[in-house]
Amino acid sequence: MDPYTAPFCESYLFGDKVFSVIEVERLVKDFGRFRAVDDVSFEVEKGEIFGILGPNGAGKTTIIMILATLLKPTKGRAFVAGHDVVKEASKVRKKIGVVFQETTLDLELTARENLDFHARLYGMKGKEKERRISEVLELVELNEKADVVVKKFSGGMKRRLEIARGLIHFPEVLLLDEPTLGLDAITRRKIWDYIMKARKETTIVLNTNYIEEAEKLCDRVAIMNRGRIIAIDDPKNLVDLAESVIVLEGTGFDRMMDVVERYRYSISGNALRIYTKNGSEILPEIISSAVRKGVEIKSARIERPTLEDVFVQMAKK
Ligand SMILES: Nc1ncnc2c1ncn2[C@@H]1O[C@H](COP(=O)(O)OP(=O)(O)OP(=O)(O)O)[C@@H](O)[C@H]1O
Ligand SMILES: [Mg+2]
């Protein structure tokens, strides 16, 4: 079978309800008195790469663990491939591949043996199993290392093998918890390539705290902070939501504070920074007022926000 055209259902119809591949409804997870996930809802459509972006402790892993049926929600519901993660946990487990934040490979086995063990768990056997093992090894470019014991692998190679293992049984959903955490920039890009290849055969939910990773890979991103989703959108739209920054370099800004104070601003050294959504419309007014008031301006520019700015601005709210 072509590894990139694995079978998976078009939609999930139960009774008269059509499910998205993943549906999360008002999910809450408490650890004792601490609320780690607070009223989180989202849906993921077939074929999407959906990112959950947030700082340490935001609740990303907790959500993945609930989707993977390894933690029970305190309140709310979640469905994966049409199945309830609590009431139909074993059905959900058959439909998902998971790559955890910490490695779960058997270090004493070779790459091939790790994959073989996993494939057997999912009832694969014979030629079909062998073929699939070669396919996933090829996808992450580990064929040549197939018979090397995993304890000799670098961190990047282990991650690649884990992605291969997550895909082995043609899961409908692949859950990736910080797939490039701690890897160097080049290895990270390689992993991104493998994830882009994997998306041809499965829907992906990916946790990350790397903004660049969310921008590069994800069709939609949920920005999480302290257990809550503070925004969900296409990463490009999220960037448009953020304020751009007008940066003026010069001296004598105190003479034009009446204008500057209409906006959010900061001054450090010779630079005045004004934060606003419509920077290019406001810039001429700012400059002409500076000229009128005898402020000496050496340079002026508008910085377009990055997803990082969006994140910082939203997390403050
Ligand atoms: N088993 C647990 N018992 C108590 N508190 C927990 C448990 N698991 C997670 N937490 C807390 O819940 C919060 C969310 O944790 P979670 O691991 O989901 O965050 P995360 O977004 O994955 O962070 P990171 O980027 O560091 O992996 C944290 O404050 C964490 O300390
Ligand atoms: Mg985590």
Side-chain angles (χ1 to χ4, degrees), residues 206-230:
L206 172 153
N207 281 350
T208 185
N209 58 41
Y210 295 118
I211 282 134
E212 199 192 349
E213 184 158 291
E215 278 185 302
K216 282 264 157 56
L217 289 179
C218 298
D219 301 299
R220 284 186 310 135
V221 177
I223 298 186
M224 267 195 96
N225 195 29
R226 295 201 210 126
R228 288 185 156 262
I229 290 182
I230 50 181

Side-chain angles (χ1 to χ4, degrees), residues 12 14 17 19-25 27 42-44 66-67 73 76-88 92 96 173:
Y12 307 91
F14 291 85
K17 181 165 172 21
F19 284 81
S20 302
V21 182
I22 293 176
E23 296 201 359
V24 171
E25 291 173 9
L27 207 61
F42 61 85
E43 293 181 4
V44 181
I66 290 172
L67 293 176
R77 298 194 301 172
F79 299 87
V80 176
H83 300 296
D84 187 306
V85 294
V86 177
K87 294 184 192 142
E88 302 171 287
V92 170
I96 58 171
V173 173

Side-chain angles (χ1 to χ4, degrees), residues 31-32 34-37 54-63 71 101 177-178 207 209:
F31 293 111
F34 178 75
R35 183 148 290 187
V37 173
N56 296 137
K60 306 181 296 296
T61 297
T62 307
I63 290 179
L71 274 180
Q101 202 165 337
D177 197 356
E178 307 216 26
N207 281 350
N209 58 41

Side-chain angles (χ1 to χ4, degrees), residues 95-107:
K95 306 272 182 171
I96 58 171
V98 192
V99 177
F100 294 101
Q101 202 165 337
E102 312 286 336
T103 186
T104 57
L105 294 165
D106 189 328
L107 302 182

